[in-house]
Amino acid sequence: MVALSALMAACGNKSRTGEPAAMESPDSVETIRWNGYTKIEPTQIDRNAVALFSEDWALITAGDEKSFNTMTASWGALGELWMRPVSIIFVRESRYTHQFLERNEYYTLSFFDEQYREQLMLLGTRSGRDGDKVKESGLTPMVTPSGSMAFEEAHMIIECRKLYSIAFRQEDFSDPAVYRAIYGGNDPSRHTQFIGEIVGVWVR
């Protein structure tokens, strides 16, 4: 994780694609702001992690300003691993976003208010291979401090640096019924699990 001192040395004025800006709060606790967001610690996330994914959903986004893709996800986890705060996401090999996750060091998780449910539905059912679904959704992509992509409409953005990935294998399932239920249908491709160190949590 980038040391706070190094991050502060790079801080400047806020811009749409700029670096975070440091501000002093009345109690002299340093606050980092960027593009209308405030940086918090992962331990300060006040929404149940299960509900964040299963109820709110997330946009998983990988790539950079030149080339990126995003997809809606209702599976995921937040926690602690290897003495680091981490996110864990699961993406089918058949999804277009999968190749962006494999190629890039960083990815983001963007969470939205209920008013954006229709946009999340669209981004979860259309493939970026077939057209510009982000433009069709009306959401506004922006570059995060890590150089990855997220969306201005999100109320929370979690930036993650990829640490580990592994593809699911049929022989590793302890309960065969789970495998049959998830992978026995029209899309037999399996999920890859990606574990990423949380390097930034930004909230409005």
Side-chain angles (χ1 to χ4, degrees):
M1 186 177 295
V2 178
L4 181 60
S5 58
L7 178 59
M8 298 312 306
C11 288
N13 293 330
K14 181 187 73 175
S15 68
R16 182 173 179 273
T17 61
E19 295 295 321
M23 301 182 68
E24 289 291 330
S25 63
D27 59 2
S28 297
V29 175
E30 202 162 42
T31 301
I32 300 174
R33 302 192 192 280
W34 158 74
N35 203 38
Y37 291 87
T38 300
K39 190 173 187 180
I40 63 171
E41 294 297 320
T43 53
Q44 294 176 295
I45 296 173
D46 61 2
R47 181 83 162 109
N48 179 279
V50 175
L52 268 176
F53 287 96
S54 65
E55 297 178 10
D56 293 358
W57 303 347
L59 284 183
I60 299 172
T61 309
D64 56 27
E65 193 170 16
K66 293 180 180 178
S67 180
F68 71 93
N69 201 65
T70 191
M71 59 169 277
T72 304
S74 59
W75 293 4
L78 303 174
E80 182 81 7
L81 183 65
W82 303 319
M83 297 178 290
R84 306 163 191 257
V86 298
S87 71
I88 305 173
I89 58 172
F90 308 90
V91 178
R92 279 189 189 265
E93 299 162 347
S94 59
R95 298 299 296 265
Y96 189 42
T97 302
H98 188 276
Q99 61 185 261
F100 288 85
L101 285 163
E102 288 192 315
R103 287 200 304 259
N104 289 275
E105 182 181 6
Y106 290 88
Y107 64 87
T108 64
L109 304 175
S110 299
F111 298 91
F112 298 81
D113 294 329
E114 182 63 27
Q115 70 189 81
Y116 295 101
R117 181 69 61 168
E118 185 176 338
Q119 287 90 333
L120 295 179
M121 288 285 290
L122 185 151
L123 293 168
T125 55
R126 304 280 182 88
S127 174
R129 294 186 182 96
D130 303 326
D132 192 345
K133 65 177 184 177
V134 171
K135 182 177 181 180
E136 186 178 351
S137 76
L139 296 182
T140 310
M142 64 179 177
V143 182
T144 72
S146 68
S148 193
M149 301 299 294
F151 297 91
E152 289 187 2
E153 292 80 4
H155 66 74
M156 179 169 67
I157 297 167
I158 302 179
E159 296 180 284
C160 306
R161 183 175 67 88
K162 193 171 61 179
L163 297 175
Y164 179 82
S165 64
I166 188 168
F168 288 177
R169 302 186 308 168
Q170 182 175 359
E171 57 266 33
D172 293 332
F173 280 77
S174 300
D175 185 347
V178 173
Y179 186 89
R180 289 194 300 269
I182 303 301
Y183 304 108
N186 295 328
D187 185 356
S189 69
R190 286 164 288 198
H191 287 81
T192 299
Q193 173 183 279
F194 295 92
I195 300 174
E197 178 183 7
I198 297 174
V199 298
V201 180
W202 302 94
V203 298
R204 288 198 187 278

